[in-house]
């Protein structure tokens, strides 16, 4: 029984680790999409940021510079997305797709050119990465049943970026629903003409939104390669950007429900990892592939609209063109 | 091209006009949308600007609100020259705009919509509280009561418009521009709007009313300016003018406001509806409608928008079958069990000018020549069924354009590049050229300029005189009353009664539209 409890606690702990980049990306997507810009390039930006961060970490040894590098490259590509979709009123899905394809090729090509390790970056040592933060008295608290285990295994031992992801959710919620900026952001995604006629620049609002999205994607990418992982591996995002997008849609473009959806996806992922090779009562050993595919199947099911009805911002996907 | 009727408006010459536009010019490519337009508006007046579609009214107010910048010309407010770079500058200068299509975020509350862009601080909650206080004062001062916490999309159109006005006033508007404000309002809501405008005027707000409805100009304005072809052709004091004079100035030639109605010579019954009902996802749209139509008469169908008229047209034209009841068209029975689609109904000699010409009447990206054959692709005049000869399409369209005075008469021009009136004339030409026995017409003059309205009304009457039976659905009561031989009034999907032209006064029909049935009418049902 105690063992099962520990297994559960460890799964929750893993859930948080897996959900961190999802949460950051979901908040990124939320800012962008609330302003009316579809952002499927979360995936590509995160991949680029992961690569940039790992490269900077490998070359300079500083996780902080690595984080800055990841943010910078992601921000750059969010501006490319903005330039295509806002300034030139291009198709937002195509632009996002282009960034994703570019990211997937560019990271490997440049990786080979710099490090000559088949597209990977060198293994990062612990001082080149964001290290785990052990909360005070975690070891001692471990002996206390239940609460102590939760404290030691779930709350303690996460790196800074994990905490940052939760802070990002709270801040997003605050900004979107409690500030004047948030009101304008939501308005520009619902009815840009109303914002324009109030004398506020639709273009400026949307650029700000995609730039915030770029920053958050950058943090998510850096988390993958210099916090959670220890270096860049080709295609290391493995569809997490899309899952984050699905979680955000499932969360109905709201920060807290989107976070819950991310945690659910994270839990399935963590569970899948734990269930590999484990023989379950009555079912027997579940094939690994079947378990690994679970989060993706769920994404399809959720996006197909089986659960709940989502109401996207009214003006999403439509470039703003002044009448006549 | 300034008419000799021009003279300055506003009596008090000591004060500079609150708004003065001087020699405004604006071109869109080859189109000279505003040519040397000048305008003076006196403080505390309601000043009307009339003109047909495309006369340049909207361009002019868009320049005033800094949506566009003028190519040349000056704007003065209270004597001070203005350099507007964006709408924010215009708002700061005291200009407020109520757009034809409301600039409201539908899922925001009234309060959120009003503070949007004019928040007092970054903190939304405190901005809202501060705004709510100021709005209470404004609402009391101008009689603009509205629930600030209501979600905009739940409000009726009239109240949404009130929110727009309140929004402009909250931003400090001293000059309020209203662009075609009554297009979406019921007669009662229009009445309420005018009361509000009078209250605003009494408080010193200057109002610029853009409209094409002469009745409204006469009812509410102090002065009126007329635009035609991008130019200002006259400035008049409302009390010195008449609808006839304004119409002539707008069109540039004498206009028949009276279409020249003559009594009909109806013959046999060609269409009979018996107890037609329609239920759609649980709601009753049509409730036991029965009526008959004779060749050579116009049956007008009056009613407030959304009382089943659209559904009735769809059933009569075969777009959808009735849930119950039967329809007899030239002897053919049609009902829920033996439905007939649009092409079968068309084969019975029924032509249909749909209510929404953009969605159903035309394919906007198609050329006029292509739009002119929609639904008649099998017509022998266009060549074989499998292949259209481009020349045949072209000449067919050119002929329709000549007969129905569609301008510009260029069959290759895209349908969406024609003005509303010319689009409607094209649809009408297409349908009438099929020599129908029965013509169904929905909102024939919605968004259509006066010149084209006159033309369309004459065409309908002359078609009737040739023996065609016409069902005319319109929310413009004046249109129904001036063209119809008999009037059927619909309310909540029911026939409230059919009355003869002689008995169809605005009062009688208005009451029936509201669902009140007079006992005399009841007897004749």
């Amino acid at each position: 029984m105690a063992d099962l409890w520990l297994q559960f606690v460890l799964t929750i702990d893993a859930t948080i680790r897996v959900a961190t980049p999802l949460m950051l990306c979901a908040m990124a997507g939320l800012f962008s999409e609330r302003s009316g810009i579809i952002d499927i390039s979360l995936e590509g930006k995160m991949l680029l940021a992961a690569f940039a961060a790992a490269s900077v970490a490998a070359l300079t040894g500083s996780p902080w510079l690595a984080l800055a590098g990841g943010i910078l490259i992601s921000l750059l590509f969010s501006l490319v997305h903005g330039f295509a979709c806002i300034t030139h009123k291009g198709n937002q899905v195509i632009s996002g797709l282009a960034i994703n394809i570019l990211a997937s090729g560019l990271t490997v090509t440049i990786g080979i050119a710099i490090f000559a390790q088949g597209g990977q970056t060198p293994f990062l040592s612990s001082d080149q990465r964001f290290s785990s933060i052990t909360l005070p008295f975690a070891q001692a608290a471990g002996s206390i049943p239940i609460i102590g285990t939760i404290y030691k295994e779930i709350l303690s031992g996460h790196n800074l970026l994990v905490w940052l992801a939760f802070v990002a959710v709270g801040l997003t919620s605050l900004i979107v629903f409690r500030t004047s900026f948030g009101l304008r952001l939501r308005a520009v995604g619902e009815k840009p003409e109303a914002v324009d006629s109030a004398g506020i620049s639709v273009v400026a609002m949307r650029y700000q939104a995609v730039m915030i999205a770029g920053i958050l994607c950058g943090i998510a990418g850096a988390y993958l390669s210099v916090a959670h992982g220890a270096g860049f591996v080709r295609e290391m995002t493995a569809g997490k950007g899309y899952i984050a997008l699905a979680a955000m849609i499932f969360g109905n473009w709201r920060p807290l429900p989107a976070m819950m959806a991310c945690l659910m996806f994270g839990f399935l992922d963590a569970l899948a990892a734990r269930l590999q090779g484990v023989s379950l009562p009555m079912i027997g050993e579940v094939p690994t592939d079947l378990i690994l595919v679970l989060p993706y199947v769920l994404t399809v099911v959720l996006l197909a609209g089986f659960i709940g009805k989502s109401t996207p911002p009214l003006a999403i996907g439509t470039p703003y063109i002044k009448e006549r | 091209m300034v008419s000799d009727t021009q003279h300055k408006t506003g009596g008090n010459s000591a004060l500079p006009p609150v708004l003065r536009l001087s020699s405004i010019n604006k071109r869109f490519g080859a189109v000279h949308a505003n040519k040397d337009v000048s305008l003076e508006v006196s403080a505390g007046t309601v000043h009307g600007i009339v003109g047909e579609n495309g006369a340049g009214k909207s361009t002019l107010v868009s320049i005033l609100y800094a949506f566009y910048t003028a190519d040349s010309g000056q704007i003065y407010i209270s004597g001070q020259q203005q350099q507007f770079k964006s709408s924010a500058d215009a708002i700061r200068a005291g200009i407020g705009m109520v757009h034809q299509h409301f600039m409201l975020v539908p899922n925001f509350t009234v309060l959120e919509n009003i503070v949007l862009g004019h928040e007092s601080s970054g903190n939304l909650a405190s901005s809202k509280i501060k705004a709510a206080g100021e709005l209470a004062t404004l609402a009391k001062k101008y009689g603009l009561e509205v629930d600030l916490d209501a979600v905009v999309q739940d409000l009726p159109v009239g109240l949404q418009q009130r929110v727009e006005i309140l929004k402009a006033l909250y931003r400090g508007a001293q000059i309020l521009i209203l662009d075609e404000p009554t297009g979406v309002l019921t007669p009662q809501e229009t009445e309420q709007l005018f009361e509000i405008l009078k209250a605003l005027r009494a408080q010193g707000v200057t109002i610029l009313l853009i409209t094409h409805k002469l009745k409204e100009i006469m009812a509410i304005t102090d002065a009126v300016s007329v635009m035609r072809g991008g130019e200002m052709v006259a400035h008049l004091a409302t009390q010195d003018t008449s609808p006839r004079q304004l119409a002539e100035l707008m069109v540039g030639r004498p206009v028949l406001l009276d279409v020249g109605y003559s009594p009909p010579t109806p013959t046999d019954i060609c269409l009979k509806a018996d107890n037609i009902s329609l239920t759609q996802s649980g709601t009753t749209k049509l409730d036991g409608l029965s009526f008959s139509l004779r060749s050579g008469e116009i049956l007008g169908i009056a009613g407030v928008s959304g009382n089943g008229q659209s559904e009735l047209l769809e059933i009569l034209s075969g777009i959808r079958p009735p849930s119950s009841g039967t329809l007899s068209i030239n002897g053919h029975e049609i009902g829920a069990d033996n439905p007939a689609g649009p092409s079968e109904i068309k084969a019975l000699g029924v032509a249909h000018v749909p209510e929404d010409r953009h969605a159903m009447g035309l394919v906007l990206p198609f050329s006029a020549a292509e739009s002119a054959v929609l639904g008649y692709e099998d017509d022998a005049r266009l060549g074989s069924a499998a292949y259209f000869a481009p020349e045949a399409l072209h000449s067919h369209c050119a002929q329709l354009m000549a007969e129905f005075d569609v301008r510009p008469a260029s069959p290759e021009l895209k349908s969406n590049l024609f003005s509303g009136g010319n689009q409607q004339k094209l649809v009408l030409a297409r349908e009438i050229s099929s020599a129908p026995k029965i013509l169904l017409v929905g909102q024939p003059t919605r968004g259509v300029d006066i010149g084209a309205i006159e033309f369309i009304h004459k065409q309908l009457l002359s078609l009737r005189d040739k023996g065609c039976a016409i069902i005319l659905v319109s929310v413009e009561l004046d249109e129904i009353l001036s063209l119809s031989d008999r009037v059927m009034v619909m309310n909540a999907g029911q026939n409230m009664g059919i009355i003869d032209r002689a008995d169809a006064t605005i009062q009688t029909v208005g009451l029936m539209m509201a669902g009140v049935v007079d006992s005399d009418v009841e007897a004749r049902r």
Side-chain angles (χ1 to χ4, degrees):
Chain A
M1 187 64 208
D3 186 48
L4 197 64
W5 165 246
L6 188 66
Q7 285 298 324
F8 176 74
V9 167
L10 288 178
T11 308
I12 296 297
D13 179 53
T15 296
I16 291 171
R17 288 173 208 277
V18 177
T20 294
L22 298 182
M23 281 154 58
L24 287 163
C25 271
M27 295 309 119
L30 197 143
F31 273 103
S32 183
E33 300 219 350
R34 277 284 187 172
S35 85
I37 306 289
I38 296 172
D39 198 358
I40 65 163
S41 67
L42 297 173
E43 173 82 3
K45 287 193 290 242
M46 182 161 54
L47 190 65
L48 283 159
F51 173 73
S55 302
V56 172
L59 296 173
T60 68
S62 160
W64 290 101
L65 283 179
L67 177 65
I71 290 175
L72 202 67
I73 197 81
S74 173
L75 188 61
L76 191 74
F77 276 86
S78 75
L79 287 173
V80 170
H81 189 49
F83 188 65
C85 304
I86 305 169
T87 307
H88 288 291
K89 306 176 185 3
N91 184 302
Q92 301 171 0
V93 173
I94 302 289
S95 166
L97 202 59
I99 289 174
N100 288 347
I101 294 168
L102 192 69
S104 138
L106 207 58
T107 47
V108 176
T109 311
I110 297 178
I112 290 173
I114 301 178
F115 304 108
Q117 293 185 3
Q120 302 196 358
T121 59
F123 181 79
L124 299 174
S125 64
S126 63
D127 59 339
Q128 291 171 316
R129 299 165 52 209
F130 284 97
S131 49
S132 310
I133 302 167
T134 306
L135 296 180
F137 315 114
Q139 274 314 320
S143 55
I144 305 167
I146 302 188
I147 297 173
T149 329
I150 290 174
Y151 185 74
K152 174 166 174 273
E153 301 297 342
I154 299 184
L155 293 181
S156 179
H158 290 297
N159 62 63
L160 186 75
L161 299 188
V162 173
W163 294 109
L164 196 60
F166 283 97
V167 171
V169 173
L171 272 181
T172 303
S173 184
L174 206 67
I175 290 170
V176 171
F177 293 107
R178 298 262 186 269
T179 66
S180 301
F181 175 80
L183 185 75
R184 295 174 181 196
L185 179 84
R186 284 181 284 135
V188 89
E190 297 285 346
K191 182 124 181 166
E193 351 8 352
V195 176
D196 196 11
S197 83
I200 303 162
S201 165
V202 172
V203 169
M205 279 308 300
R206 288 190 166 169
Y207 263 107
Q208 287 174 57
V210 295
M211 286 169 74
I212 295 173
I215 292 169
L216 288 168
C217 275
I219 301 174
Y223 171 82
L224 288 181
S225 65
V226 297
H228 187 58
F232 176 82
V233 185
R234 65 159 69 195
E235 302 293 352
M236 78 182 302
T237 48
K240 287 190 177 64
Y242 298 116
I243 289 188
L245 200 65
M248 180 207 59
I249 294 170
F250 181 45
N252 228 340
W253 289 266
R254 292 178 162 270
L256 296 178
M259 179 187 80
M260 296 314 290
C262 289
L263 288 170
M264 187 186 68
F265 280 122
F267 179 72
L268 285 174
D269 215 25
L271 196 66
R274 298 217 161 250
L275 284 182
Q276 284 179 45
V278 176
S279 178
L280 291 178
M282 290 193 287
I283 305 169
E285 191 173 319
V286 184
T288 315
D289 297 336
L290 204 63
I291 294 171
L292 287 177
V293 89
L294 211 57
Y296 302 92
V297 170
L298 192 71
T299 306
V300 172
V301 170
L302 291 184
L303 286 188
F306 281 107
I307 305 164
K309 188 177 169 290
S310 65
T311 44
L314 284 176
I316 195 163
T318 2
Y320 178 60
I321 298 164
K322 260 191 190 183
E323 242 179 296
R324 196 167 63 137
Chain B
M1 195 152 106
V2 174
S3 101
D4 54 3
T5 49
Q6 179 177 9
H7 63 83
K8 291 278 186 319
T9 56
N12 194 343
S13 56
L15 279 173
V18 67
L19 173 68
R20 185 159 78 86
L21 302 178
S22 165
S23 303
I24 300 281
N25 274 286
K26 178 73 182 174
R27 285 174 186 277
F28 295 102
V31 182
H32 203 161
N34 279 174
K35 285 181 220 169
D36 268 330
V37 173
S38 296
L39 175 71
E40 287 190 5
V41 180
S42 310
T45 61
V46 177
H47 192 110
I49 297 182
V50 279
E52 300 201 278
N53 288 332
K57 300 172 302 213
S58 298
T59 305
L60 187 67
V61 292
S62 296
I63 288 170
L64 184 52
Y65 194 60
F67 251 171
Y68 307 135
T69 40
D71 298 339
S72 66
Q74 295 86 40
I75 299 172
Y76 300 89
I77 291 180
S78 304
Q80 297 282 309
Q81 187 172 351
Q82 306 289 326
Q83 298 290 345
F84 292 158
K85 289 196 181 57
S86 75
S87 296
D89 294 339
I91 293 168
R92 263 193 293 279
I95 296 175
M97 176 107 171
V98 176
H99 296 263
Q100 189 174 0
H101 305 286
F102 301 149
M103 296 296 178
L104 298 171
V105 184
N107 53 2
F108 278 17
T109 65
V110 170
L111 186 56
E112 284 171 336
N113 266 293
I114 291 173
V115 297
L116 175 64
H118 292 261
E119 307 87 350
S120 48
S121 75
N123 182 333
L124 189 56
S126 73
S127 297
K128 279 187 183 175
I129 292 167
K130 189 155 177 285
E134 290 172 31
L135 285 167
T137 322
L138 274 179
K140 194 174 282 176
K141 184 171 168 192
Y142 298 114
L144 286 163
E145 308 295 338
V146 57
D147 177 9
L148 294 179
D149 295 320
V151 175
V152 162
Q153 64 196 1
D154 300 337
L155 295 176
V157 179
L159 277 181
Q160 291 190 14
Q161 189 172 55
R162 197 174 284 194
V163 176
E164 281 280 46
I165 295 174
L166 203 53
K167 189 170 87 176
L169 295 173
Y170 175 70
R171 289 164 191 186
Q174 281 305 307
I175 301 169
L176 191 62
I177 308 167
L178 295 114
D179 189 4
E180 301 282 359
T182 61
V184 287
L185 302 184
T186 65
Q188 293 86 339
E189 285 173 330
T190 302
E191 217 30 63
Q192 287 169 0
L193 171 69
F194 285 178
E195 287 310 311
I196 289 168
L197 295 186
K198 284 175 189 163
L200 291 174
R201 174 173 60 185
Q203 297 282 348
V205 177
T206 308
I207 291 156
L208 206 53
L209 178 70
I210 317 301
T211 183
H212 67 277
K213 294 186 183 169
L214 299 175
K215 235 184 190 177
E216 291 168 6
I217 291 289
M218 300 311 291
I220 182 102
T221 65
D222 303 301
V224 53
S225 299
V226 186
M227 289 189 81
R228 180 173 75 233
E231 294 181 87
M232 254 331 158
V233 292
H235 302 283
L236 303 157
T238 308
Q239 59 189 18
D240 300 341
T241 189
S242 65
R244 178 173 297 272
Q245 185 192 15
L246 290 174
E248 286 189 22
L249 286 166
M250 281 164 67
V251 185
R253 60 179 169 81
V255 177
L256 290 174
L257 287 181
D258 172 19
V259 290
Y261 174 85
S262 59
T265 46
T267 52
D268 301 335
I269 289 178
C270 57
L271 182 148
K272 201 166 163 45
D274 189 18
N275 214 11
I276 296 278
S277 292
L278 177 71
T279 310
Q280 196 186 0
S281 47
T283 43
T284 305
K285 298 283 185 180
L286 295 176
D287 191 0
L289 283 183
S290 299
F291 61 91
S292 59
L293 178 70
R294 289 176 182 275
S295 299
E297 73 161 350
I298 297 179
L299 175 65
I301 297 181
V304 176
S305 180
N307 276 282
Q309 303 98 308
S310 305
E311 288 79 5
L312 178 62
L313 271 184
E314 287 181 356
I315 285 176
L316 293 178
S317 60
I319 293 171
R320 64 163 89 189
S323 307
S324 66
T326 54
L327 203 58
S328 159
I329 299 178
N330 292 324
H332 289 74
E333 291 277 325
I334 296 154
D337 304 326
N338 48 339
S343 58
E344 294 156 72
I345 299 245
K346 196 171 278 170
L348 295 174
V350 179
H352 180 204
V353 177
E355 288 185 299
D356 185 347
R357 61 177 165 270
H358 290 169
M360 293 173 77
L362 299 164
V363 178
L364 291 176
F366 278 15
S367 71
E370 289 168 321
S371 278
V373 297
L374 292 172
Y376 298 95
E377 298 86 352
D378 298 336
D379 195 311
R381 283 173 293 176
L382 301 168
S384 69
Y387 172 73
F388 291 137
E391 315 79 56
L393 279 186
H394 189 98
S395 63
H396 172 71
C397 184
Q399 190 193 339
L400 292 182
M401 287 176 145
E403 282 171 21
F404 281 80
D405 189 31
V406 178
R407 281 173 288 183
S410 350
E412 299 315 313
L413 201 62
K414 277 188 180 182
S415 307
N416 58 356
L417 296 177
F418 290 86
S419 73
N422 285 303
Q423 288 176 344
Q424 189 70 310
K425 284 195 272 187
L426 189 64
V427 176
L428 206 65
R430 179 182 75 207
E431 300 302 330
I432 292 182
S433 76
S434 71
K437 297 191 181 76
I438 299 169
L439 181 68
L440 311 170
V441 193
Q443 318 297 349
T445 58
R446 182 183 277 171
V448 166
D449 46 72
I450 294 190
I453 290 175
E454 181 194 1
F455 183 87
I456 289 168
H457 284 176
K458 277 189 190 162
Q459 288 293 331
L460 292 177
L461 283 175
S462 102
L463 193 65
R464 181 204 72 176
D465 291 340
K466 287 180 199 148
C468 182
I470 299 176
I471 287 187
L472 169 68
V473 171
S474 175
V475 292
E476 298 279 351
L477 194 49
D478 292 342
E479 177 166 76
I480 295 278
L481 297 183
S482 70
L483 292 178
S484 308
D485 304 312
R486 290 185 300 145
V487 178
M488 177 168 113
V489 185
M490 289 183 69
N491 176 280
Q494 289 181 327
N495 176 359
M496 301 306 294
I498 298 176
I499 50 179
D500 286 334
R501 181 185 180 87
D503 304 325
T505 60
I506 287 193
Q507 288 75 12
T508 322
V509 177
L511 277 176
M512 290 164 75
M513 280 164 69
V516 183
V517 184
D518 189 39
S519 52
D520 285 2
V521 174
E522 185 78 58
R524 253 179 276 144
R525 243 168 121 171

